Amino acid sequence: MRFYIHKRHLSNACLFLCLMSFICFLGSCTTPKFLQKKEPSVQRHDPVKARDFALELTPTSAKVGWNETVDIETCISWETERSYPVRISVADCPSWLTVTLQPAILEPDQIGKLSISPMIGEAQLGPTEILLQASAYGMKQPREFRFTVDITRQSGSFAQVLLAPVNQQCRSFCAQIFTSGNQPVVNFYNLLPDLGQECDDKKILPMSQRVNGRPYPISDEGFGFGRTCRVALVASPSGEYNLVNIALPGASVPPGNVLLQLRNVRDFWLSPDNTIALVLSSNSLKPYDVLTGQLLGETCHIVGQLTHITLEDGINLTAQADYPCRWTIE
């Protein structure tokens, strides 16, 4: 028996076999590199350890007066080649100390700022420690750093309190004089400028805004504010001088009451934060703690003309004259 294969059929079979072989070849080969899609590489880093970085504070300690602000530079130094942003926070500090960080997250090589402000009359004098915490990528527990700030009274020149029998406005406070039973008296008020209130003779301010409970009788000398407007000195007809608490935090008496009562006063000076009073009686000087009304040092006799009164480092009080008077204020 003979079989005859037509050339056309043979040609089709060969083409089919070639096509199948090519498909198998493609399936068994890898994709050429220039056709491969490159997947992004993911770098994995170990979490940061506490010893990998340190918080640097410049200066390493500071001194600041009541009602003042000291700024400390902050930056992160790394002990490894890796560096990440570090979050800084205040973990612990007294309520009478305002502490802020700008920014709260420090980038590598960035300089930040730690600002510290003690409240006048309330912040405890002397060294105080602030606890800071810093954490970075992957840390389970933050690293702790401590900073010590020495709190003092505000240093600078003393200012004499000037008296006058006229209405006076001192920042947001107003003192108005009127007559009660032929006797001039003065009242102190909180002033609300947002409501259009003014300190003048045209209108008595509301009783709800009055600081003192009873009016203070005044002599022809009148009265005067300290330059912080937190206290006022009132000369009474009986010859007494009353230092009145207007809005002094940490004082031993509430606002509107007498902090210090004196007689035979020739001149009266107050420290920059109005917490120390220096009183001249005859030719003798006496320093008083305005917050408590207590003496802060022994009496000093002045020889010659008194020219300048300063407090340095928050503790060294000097009254310049031919023979200066000096006190160390605790």
Side-chain angles (χ1 to χ4, degrees):
M1 182 180 293
R2 294 180 180 180
F3 295 93
Y4 296 95
I5 300 175
H6 197 276
K7 290 182 178 181
R8 182 178 180 182
H9 293 165
L10 181 60
S11 176
N12 290 337
C14 290
L15 288 173
F16 175 77
L17 291 174
C18 290
L19 179 61
M20 293 300 295
S21 299
F22 183 69
I23 292 173
C24 291
F25 173 76
L26 290 177
S28 62
C29 296
T30 57
T31 305
K33 290 185 178 181
F34 67 89
L35 294 177
Q36 292 180 2
K37 184 179 179 181
K38 188 175 182 180
E39 296 293 334
S41 61
V42 178
Q43 293 184 349
R44 297 184 179 275
H45 297 297
D46 295 330
V48 175
K49 298 179 177 60
R51 64 175 179 270
D52 290 346
F53 71 89
L55 173 63
E56 295 185 352
L57 301 164
T58 307
T60 56
S61 63
K63 179 179 287 188
V64 61
W66 276 343
N67 213 36
E68 294 182 323
T69 300
V70 62
D71 293 329
I72 310 300
E73 282 191 359
T74 60
C75 70
I76 298 296
S77 62
W78 288 89
E79 300 297 332
T80 65
E81 294 181 357
R82 297 171 300 153
S83 59
Y84 301 95
V86 176
R87 179 182 294 276
I88 307 171
S89 61
V90 180
D92 185 34
C93 73
S95 59
W96 35 256
L97 203 59
T98 301
V99 181
T100 58
L101 287 157
Q102 294 181 341
I105 298 178
L106 277 180
E107 299 288 342
D109 301 323
Q110 183 180 12
I111 301 297
K113 181 172 66 174
L114 172 70
S115 298
I116 305 171
S117 302
M119 295 177 63
I120 181 173
E122 296 185 6
Q124 181 178 339
L125 297 174
T128 294
E129 193 174 68
I130 300 170
L131 177 62
L132 302 171
Q133 291 183 338
S135 59
Y137 164 76
M139 292 180 62
K140 294 182 179 180
Q141 295 292 333
R143 186 173 181 183
E144 294 185 347
F145 299 89
R146 298 179 185 276
F147 185 81
T148 300
V149 58
D150 188 13
I151 300 172
T152 68
R153 297 176 191 260
Q154 189 174 341
S155 298
S157 300
F158 279 50
Q160 185 177 4
V161 179
L162 302 177
L163 309 181
V166 295
N167 290 353
Q168 299 180 37
Q169 179 176 338
C170 192
R171 298 182 186 176
S172 60
F173 297 101
C174 174
Q176 290 183 332
I177 296 175
F178 65 97
T179 301
S180 176
N182 296 324
Q183 172 62 57
V185 297
V186 62
N187 284 318
F188 299 95
Y189 298 87
N190 290 299
L191 196 61
L192 303 176
D194 293 342
L195 300 180
Q197 293 180 347
E198 297 180 356
C199 188
D200 54 26
D201 301 321
K202 297 178 182 178
K203 185 179 179 180
I204 300 297
L205 294 168
M207 280 287 295
S208 60
Q209 294 173 218
R210 202 167 86 177
V211 176
N212 52 299
R214 60 179 180 82
Y216 283 97
I218 59 172
S219 67
D220 293 339
E221 287 186 82
F223 69 96
F225 282 101
R227 63 184 174 187
T228 66
C229 305
R230 297 177 184 272
V231 296
L233 185 65
V234 179
S236 70
S238 60
E240 295 174 338
Y241 292 81
N242 297 311
L243 188 64
V244 180
N245 179 13
I246 304 300
L248 186 63
S252 57
V253 299
N257 289 283
V258 176
L259 292 158
L260 188 62
Q261 190 173 72
L262 302 165
R263 297 187 66 88
N264 302 319
V265 174
R266 282 181 52 190
D267 281 308
F268 193 97
W269 295 267
L270 286 169
S271 63
D273 58 16
N274 284 189
T275 65
I276 301 176
L278 192 61
V279 182
L280 179 62
S281 300
S282 300
N283 290 321
S284 299
L285 281 173
K286 294 181 181 179
Y288 289 88
D289 186 342
V290 171
L291 296 169
T292 63
Q294 302 298 314
L295 271 172
L296 288 173
E298 296 181 354
T299 300
C300 180
H301 297 283
I302 286 292
V303 177
Q305 185 177 0
L306 183 61
T307 58
H308 197 59
I309 304 168
T310 56
L311 183 68
E312 296 180 353
D313 297 325
I315 58 173
N316 299 315
L317 175 58
T318 302
Q320 295 291 347
D322 290 350
Y323 294 96
C325 292
R326 293 186 175 90
W327 301 266
T328 299
I329 305 299
E330 301 295 336

